[in-house]
mmCIF file with all atom_site columns, all heavy atoms in Angstrom:
data_model
loop_
_atom_site.group_PDB
_atom_site.id
_atom_site.type_symbol
_atom_site.label_atom_id
_atom_site.label_alt_id
_atom_site.label_comp_id
_atom_site.label_asym_id
_atom_site.label_entity_id
_atom_site.label_seq_id
_atom_site.pdbx_PDB_ins_code
_atom_site.Cartn_x
_atom_site.Cartn_y
_atom_site.Cartn_z
_atom_site.occupancy
_atom_site.B_iso_or_equiv
_atom_site.pdbx_formal_charge
_atom_site.auth_seq_id
_atom_site.auth_comp_id
_atom_site.auth_asym_id
_atom_site.auth_atom_id
_atom_site.pdbx_PDB_model_num
ATOM 1   N N   . ALA A 1 268 ? 4.510  28.061 -100.249 1.00 0.00 ? 268 ALA A N   1
ATOM 2   C CA  . ALA A 1 268 ? 4.381  26.599 -100.287 1.00 0.00 ? 268 ALA A CA  1
ATOM 3   C C   . ALA A 1 268 ? 2.908  26.182 -100.375 1.00 0.00 ? 268 ALA A C   1
ATOM 4   O O   . ALA A 1 268 ? 2.579  25.181 -101.030 1.00 0.00 ? 268 ALA A O   1
ATOM 5   C CB  . ALA A 1 268 ? 5.025  25.991 -99.052  1.00 0.00 ? 268 ALA A CB  1
ATOM 6   N N   . LEU A 1 269 ? 2.024  26.964 -99.737  1.00 0.00 ? 269 LEU A N   1
ATOM 7   C CA  . LEU A 1 269 ? 0.589  26.626 -99.816  1.00 0.00 ? 269 LEU A CA  1
ATOM 8   C C   . LEU A 1 269 ? 0.051  26.821 -101.238 1.00 0.00 ? 269 LEU A C   1
ATOM 9   O O   . LEU A 1 269 ? -0.897 26.141 -101.641 1.00 0.00 ? 269 LEU A O   1
ATOM 10  C CB  . LEU A 1 269 ? -0.215 27.455 -98.814  1.00 0.00 ? 269 LEU A CB  1
ATOM 11  C CG  . LEU A 1 269 ? -0.110 26.965 -97.363  1.00 0.00 ? 269 LEU A CG  1
ATOM 12  C CD1 . LEU A 1 269 ? -0.785 27.940 -96.406  1.00 0.00 ? 269 LEU A CD1 1
ATOM 13  C CD2 . LEU A 1 269 ? -0.712 25.569 -97.205  1.00 0.00 ? 269 LEU A CD2 1
ATOM 14  N N   . ALA A 1 270 ? 0.658  27.745 -101.984 1.00 0.00 ? 270 ALA A N   1
ATOM 15  C CA  . ALA A 1 270 ? 0.286  27.862 -103.410 1.00 0.00 ? 270 ALA A CA  1
ATOM 16  C C   . ALA A 1 270 ? 0.596  26.542 -104.107 1.00 0.00 ? 270 ALA A C   1
ATOM 17  O O   . ALA A 1 270 ? -0.171 26.076 -104.951 1.00 0.00 ? 270 ALA A O   1
ATOM 18  C CB  . ALA A 1 270 ? 1.051  29.008 -104.065 1.00 0.00 ? 270 ALA A CB  1
ATOM 19  N N   . GLY A 1 271 ? 1.715  25.924 -103.725 1.00 0.00 ? 271 GLY A N   1
ATOM 20  C CA  . GLY A 1 271 ? 2.095  24.626 -104.303 1.00 0.00 ? 271 GLY A CA  1
ATOM 21  C C   . GLY A 1 271 ? 1.221  23.490 -103.820 1.00 0.00 ? 271 GLY A C   1
ATOM 22  O O   . GLY A 1 271 ? 1.065  22.485 -104.508 1.00 0.00 ? 271 GLY A O   1
ATOM 23  N N   . TRP A 1 272 ? 0.629  23.635 -102.641 1.00 0.00 ? 272 TRP A N   1
ATOM 24  C CA  . TRP A 1 272 ? -0.293 22.627 -102.108 1.00 0.00 ? 272 TRP A CA  1
ATOM 25  C C   . TRP A 1 272 ? -1.688 22.784 -102.729 1.00 0.00 ? 272 TRP A C   1
ATOM 26  O O   . TRP A 1 272 ? -2.555 21.939 -102.595 1.00 0.00 ? 272 TRP A O   1
ATOM 27  C CB  . TRP A 1 272 ? -0.341 22.732 -100.575 1.00 0.00 ? 272 TRP A CB  1
ATOM 28  C CG  . TRP A 1 272 ? -1.238 21.791 -99.849  1.00 0.00 ? 272 TRP A CG  1
ATOM 29  C CD1 . TRP A 1 272 ? -2.218 22.120 -98.957  1.00 0.00 ? 272 TRP A CD1 1
ATOM 30  C CD2 . TRP A 1 272 ? -1.249 20.345 -99.901  1.00 0.00 ? 272 TRP A CD2 1
ATOM 31  N NE1 . TRP A 1 272 ? -2.836 20.996 -98.469  1.00 0.00 ? 272 TRP A NE1 1
ATOM 32  C CE2 . TRP A 1 272 ? -2.267 19.883 -99.024  1.00 0.00 ? 272 TRP A CE2 1
ATOM 33  C CE3 . TRP A 1 272 ? -0.518 19.401 -100.616 1.00 0.00 ? 272 TRP A CE3 1
ATOM 34  C CZ2 . TRP A 1 272 ? -2.548 18.527 -98.843  1.00 0.00 ? 272 TRP A CZ2 1
ATOM 35  C CZ3 . TRP A 1 272 ? -0.801 18.043 -100.431 1.00 0.00 ? 272 TRP A CZ3 1
ATOM 36  C CH2 . TRP A 1 272 ? -1.798 17.625 -99.558  1.00 0.00 ? 272 TRP A CH2 1
ATOM 37  N N   . THR A 1 273 ? -1.895 23.920 -103.426 1.00 0.00 ? 273 THR A N   1
ATOM 38  C CA  . THR A 1 273 ? -3.194 24.180 -104.062 1.00 0.00 ? 273 THR A CA  1
ATOM 39  C C   . THR A 1 273 ? -3.211 23.636 -105.485 1.00 0.00 ? 273 THR A C   1
ATOM 40  O O   . THR A 1 273 ? -4.189 23.013 -105.915 1.00 0.00 ? 273 THR A O   1
ATOM 41  C CB  . THR A 1 273 ? -3.474 25.704 -104.109 1.00 0.00 ? 273 THR A CB  1
ATOM 42  O OG1 . THR A 1 273 ? -3.294 26.235 -102.804 1.00 0.00 ? 273 THR A OG1 1
ATOM 43  C CG2 . THR A 1 273 ? -4.887 25.989 -104.580 1.00 0.00 ? 273 THR A CG2 1
ATOM 44  N N   . LYS A 1 274 ? -2.122 23.899 -106.232 1.00 0.00 ? 274 LYS A N   1
ATOM 45  C CA  . LYS A 1 274 ? -2.097 23.535 -107.645 1.00 0.00 ? 274 LYS A CA  1
ATOM 46  C C   . LYS A 1 274 ? -0.652 23.381 -108.091 1.00 0.00 ? 274 LYS A C   1
ATOM 47  O O   . LYS A 1 274 ? 0.238  24.032 -107.517 1.00 0.00 ? 274 LYS A O   1
ATOM 48  C CB  . LYS A 1 274 ? -2.761 24.666 -108.458 1.00 0.00 ? 274 LYS A CB  1
ATOM 49  C CG  . LYS A 1 274 ? -3.720 24.173 -109.502 1.00 0.00 ? 274 LYS A CG  1
ATOM 50  C CD  . LYS A 1 274 ? -4.398 25.250 -110.255 1.00 0.00 ? 274 LYS A CD  1
ATOM 51  C CE  . LYS A 1 274 ? -4.974 24.613 -111.528 1.00 0.00 ? 274 LYS A CE  1
ATOM 52  N NZ  . LYS A 1 274 ? -5.219 25.559 -112.563 1.00 0.00 ? 274 LYS A NZ  1
ATOM 53  N N   . ASN A 1 275 ? -0.394 22.571 -109.110 1.00 0.00 ? 275 ASN A N   1
ATOM 54  C CA  . ASN A 1 275 ? 0.987  22.378 -109.554 1.00 0.00 ? 275 ASN A CA  1
ATOM 55  C C   . ASN A 1 275 ? 1.643  23.696 -109.975 1.00 0.00 ? 275 ASN A C   1
ATOM 56  O O   . ASN A 1 275 ? 2.833  23.893 -109.791 1.00 0.00 ? 275 ASN A O   1
ATOM 57  C CB  . ASN A 1 275 ? 1.035  21.370 -110.705 1.00 0.00 ? 275 ASN A CB  1
ATOM 58  C CG  . ASN A 1 275 ? 0.865  19.939 -110.203 1.00 0.00 ? 275 ASN A CG  1
ATOM 59  O OD1 . ASN A 1 275 ? 0.964  19.685 -108.992 1.00 0.00 ? 275 ASN A OD1 1
ATOM 60  N ND2 . ASN A 1 275 ? 0.603  19.015 -111.098 1.00 0.00 ? 275 ASN A ND2 1
ATOM 61  N N   . GLU A 1 276 ? 0.857  24.604 -110.565 1.00 0.00 ? 276 GLU A N   1
ATOM 62  C CA  . GLU A 1 276 ? 1.426  25.901 -110.947 1.00 0.00 ? 276 GLU A CA  1
ATOM 63  C C   . GLU A 1 276 ? 1.953  26.646 -109.722 1.00 0.00 ? 276 GLU A C   1
ATOM 64  O O   . GLU A 1 276 ? 2.862  27.461 -109.819 1.00 0.00 ? 276 GLU A O   1
ATOM 65  C CB  . GLU A 1 276 ? 0.386  26.793 -111.638 1.00 0.00 ? 276 GLU A CB  1
ATOM 66  C CG  . GLU A 1 276 ? -0.002 26.348 -113.029 1.00 0.00 ? 276 GLU A CG  1
ATOM 67  C CD  . GLU A 1 276 ? -1.282 25.544 -113.004 1.00 0.00 ? 276 GLU A CD  1
ATOM 68  O OE1 . GLU A 1 276 ? -1.447 24.708 -112.087 1.00 0.00 ? 276 GLU A OE1 1
ATOM 69  O OE2 . GLU A 1 276 ? -2.113 25.735 -113.905 1.00 0.00 ? 276 GLU A OE2 1
ATOM 70  N N   . GLY A 1 277 ? 1.349  26.355 -108.574 1.00 0.00 ? 277 GLY A N   1
ATOM 71  C CA  . GLY A 1 277 ? 1.800  26.977 -107.328 1.00 0.00 ? 277 GLY A CA  1
ATOM 72  C C   . GLY A 1 277 ? 3.227  26.579 -106.996 1.00 0.00 ? 277 GLY A C   1
ATOM 73  O O   . GLY A 1 277 ? 3.973  27.358 -106.394 1.00 0.00 ? 277 GLY A O   1
ATOM 74  N N   . LEU A 1 278 ? 3.608  25.365 -107.380 1.00 0.00 ? 278 LEU A N   1
ATOM 75  C CA  . LEU A 1 278 ? 4.990  24.929 -107.166 1.00 0.00 ? 278 LEU A CA  1
ATOM 76  C C   . LEU A 1 278 ? 5.931  25.747 -108.041 1.00 0.00 ? 278 LEU A C   1
ATOM 77  O O   . LEU A 1 278 ? 7.043  26.091 -107.636 1.00 0.00 ? 278 LEU A O   1
ATOM 78  C CB  . LEU A 1 278 ? 5.136  23.438 -107.484 1.00 0.00 ? 278 LEU A CB  1
ATOM 79  C CG  . LEU A 1 278 ? 4.564  22.482 -106.440 1.00 0.00 ? 278 LEU A CG  1
ATOM 80  C CD1 . LEU A 1 278 ? 4.615  21.045 -106.938 1.00 0.00 ? 278 LEU A CD1 1
ATOM 81  C CD2 . LEU A 1 278 ? 5.334  22.598 -105.123 1.00 0.00 ? 278 LEU A CD2 1
ATOM 82  N N   . ALA A 1 279 ? 5.454  26.043 -109.269 1.00 0.00 ? 279 ALA A N   1
ATOM 83  C CA  . ALA A 1 279 ? 6.249  26.905 -110.153 1.00 0.00 ? 279 ALA A CA  1
ATOM 84  C C   . ALA A 1 279 ? 6.411  28.284 -109.512 1.00 0.00 ? 279 ALA A C   1
ATOM 85  O O   . ALA A 1 279 ? 7.486  28.893 -109.579 1.00 0.00 ? 279 ALA A O   1
ATOM 86  C CB  . ALA A 1 279 ? 5.572  27.024 -111.521 1.00 0.00 ? 279 ALA A CB  1
ATOM 87  N N   . TRP A 1 280 ? 5.326  28.776 -108.884 1.00 0.00 ? 280 TRP A N   1
ATOM 88  C CA  . TRP A 1 280 ? 5.398  30.063 -108.204 1.00 0.00 ? 280 TRP A CA  1
ATOM 89  C C   . TRP A 1 280 ? 6.419  30.010 -107.071 1.00 0.00 ? 280 TRP A C   1
ATOM 90  O O   . TRP A 1 280 ? 7.241  30.922 -106.913 1.00 0.00 ? 280 TRP A O   1
ATOM 91  C CB  . TRP A 1 280 ? 4.032  30.491 -107.662 1.00 0.00 ? 280 TRP A CB  1
ATOM 92  C CG  . TRP A 1 280 ? 4.143  31.606 -106.672 1.00 0.00 ? 280 TRP A CG  1
ATOM 93  C CD1 . TRP A 1 280 ? 3.946  31.560 -105.322 1.00 0.00 ? 280 TRP A CD1 1
ATOM 94  C CD2 . TRP A 1 280 ? 4.558  32.960 -106.943 1.00 0.00 ? 280 TRP A CD2 1
ATOM 95  N NE1 . TRP A 1 280 ? 4.199  32.768 -104.745 1.00 0.00 ? 280 TRP A NE1 1
ATOM 96  C CE2 . TRP A 1 280 ? 4.576  33.646 -105.714 1.00 0.00 ? 280 TRP A CE2 1
ATOM 97  C CE3 . TRP A 1 280 ? 4.916  33.633 -108.104 1.00 0.00 ? 280 TRP A CE3 1
ATOM 98  C CZ2 . TRP A 1 280 ? 4.938  34.983 -105.608 1.00 0.00 ? 280 TRP A CZ2 1
ATOM 99  C CZ3 . TRP A 1 280 ? 5.279  34.979 -108.006 1.00 0.00 ? 280 TRP A CZ3 1
ATOM 100 C CH2 . TRP A 1 280 ? 5.281  35.640 -106.772 1.00 0.00 ? 280 TRP A CH2 1
ATOM 101 N N   . PHE A 1 281 ? 6.393  28.941 -106.279 1.00 0.00 ? 281 PHE A N   1
ATOM 102 C CA  . PHE A 1 281 ? 7.330  28.814 -105.166 1.00 0.00 ? 281 PHE A CA  1
ATOM 103 C C   . PHE A 1 281 ? 8.773  28.892 -105.690 1.00 0.00 ? 281 PHE A C   1
ATOM 104 O O   . PHE A 1 281 ? 9.597  29.628 -105.155 1.00 0.00 ? 281 PHE A O   1
ATOM 105 C CB  . PHE A 1 281 ? 7.114  27.492 -104.411 1.00 0.00 ? 281 PHE A CB  1
ATOM 106 C CG  . PHE A 1 281 ? 8.084  27.296 -103.286 1.00 0.00 ? 281 PHE A CG  1
ATOM 107 C CD1 . PHE A 1 281 ? 7.848  27.869 -102.047 1.00 0.00 ? 281 PHE A CD1 1
ATOM 108 C CD2 . PHE A 1 281 ? 9.258  26.574 -103.469 1.00 0.00 ? 281 PHE A CD2 1
ATOM 109 C CE1 . PHE A 1 281 ? 8.761  27.737 -101.016 1.00 0.00 ? 281 PHE A CE1 1
ATOM 110 C CE2 . PHE A 1 281 ? 10.176 26.437 -102.444 1.00 0.00 ? 281 PHE A CE2 1
ATOM 111 C CZ  . PHE A 1 281 ? 9.929  27.012 -101.215 1.00 0.00 ? 281 PHE A CZ  1
ATOM 112 N N   . CYS A 1 282 ? 9.067  28.124 -106.740 1.00 0.00 ? 282 CYS A N   1
ATOM 113 C CA  . CYS A 1 282 ? 10.429 28.097 -107.297 1.00 0.00 ? 282 CYS A CA  1
ATOM 114 C C   . CYS A 1 282 ? 10.801 29.468 -107.863 1.00 0.00 ? 282 CYS A C   1
ATOM 115 O O   . CYS A 1 282 ? 11.930 29.938 -107.689 1.00 0.00 ? 282 CYS A O   1
ATOM 116 C CB  . CYS A 1 282 ? 10.542 27.025 -108.391 1.00 0.00 ? 282 CYS A CB  1
ATOM 117 S SG  . CYS A 1 282 ? 10.302 25.369 -107.744 1.00 0.00 ? 282 CYS A SG  1
ATOM 118 N N   . ALA A 1 283 ? 9.836  30.103 -108.551 1.00 0.00 ? 283 ALA A N   1
ATOM 119 C CA  . ALA A 1 283 ? 10.089 31.421 -109.150 1.00 0.00 ? 283 ALA A CA  1
ATOM 120 C C   . ALA A 1 283 ? 10.420 32.440 -108.061 1.00 0.00 ? 283 ALA A C   1
ATOM 121 O O   . ALA A 1 283 ? 11.372 33.221 -108.188 1.00 0.00 ? 283 ALA A O   1
ATOM 122 C CB  . ALA A 1 283 ? 8.874  31.871 -109.953 1.00 0.00 ? 283 ALA A CB  1
ATOM 123 N N   . PHE A 1 284 ? 9.634  32.417 -106.977 1.00 0.00 ? 284 PHE A N   1
ATOM 124 C CA  . PHE A 1 284 ? 9.865  33.391 -105.909 1.00 0.00 ? 284 PHE A CA  1
ATOM 125 C C   . PHE A 1 284 ? 11.195 33.131 -105.216 1.00 0.00 ? 284 PHE A C   1
ATOM 126 O O   . PHE A 1 284 ? 11.957 34.072 -104.925 1.00 0.00 ? 284 PHE A O   1
ATOM 127 C CB  . PHE A 1 284 ? 8.725  33.366 -104.887 1.00 0.00 ? 284 PHE A CB  1
ATOM 128 C CG  . PHE A 1 284 ? 8.853  34.452 -103.859 1.00 0.00 ? 284 PHE A CG  1
ATOM 129 C CD1 . PHE A 1 284 ? 8.399  35.731 -104.125 1.00 0.00 ? 284 PHE A CD1 1
ATOM 130 C CD2 . PHE A 1 284 ? 9.493  34.218 -102.649 1.00 0.00 ? 284 PHE A CD2 1
ATOM 131 C CE1 . PHE A 1 284 ? 8.556  36.757 -103.198 1.00 0.00 ? 284 PHE A CE1 1
ATOM 132 C CE2 . PHE A 1 284 ? 9.663  35.233 -101.715 1.00 0.00 ? 284 PHE A CE2 1
ATOM 133 C CZ  . PHE A 1 284 ? 9.182  36.503 -101.990 1.00 0.00 ? 284 PHE A CZ  1
ATOM 134 N N   . LEU A 1 285 ? 11.484 31.850 -104.972 1.00 0.00 ? 285 LEU A N   1
ATOM 135 C CA  . LEU A 1 285 ? 12.739 31.490 -104.308 1.00 0.00 ? 285 LEU A CA  1
ATOM 136 C C   . LEU A 1 285 ? 13.930 31.951 -105.155 1.00 0.00 ? 285 LEU A C   1
ATOM 137 O O   . LEU A 1 285 ? 14.881 32.565 -104.636 1.00 0.00 ? 285 LEU A O   1
ATOM 138 C CB  . LEU A 1 285 ? 12.781 29.971 -104.098 1.00 0.00 ? 285 LEU A CB  1
ATOM 139 C CG  . LEU A 1 285 ? 13.950 29.417 -103.289 1.00 0.00 ? 285 LEU A CG  1
ATOM 140 C CD1 . LEU A 1 285 ? 13.927 29.960 -101.870 1.00 0.00 ? 285 LEU A CD1 1
ATOM 141 C CD2 . LEU A 1 285 ? 13.903 27.895 -103.249 1.00 0.00 ? 285 LEU A CD2 1
#
Side-chain angles (χ1 to χ4, degrees):
Chain A
L269 283 173
W272 180 234
T273 308
K274 225 178 163 201
N275 284 346
E276 289 97 319
L278 285 173
W280 165 251
F281 178 83
C282 296
F284 186 83
L285 186 62

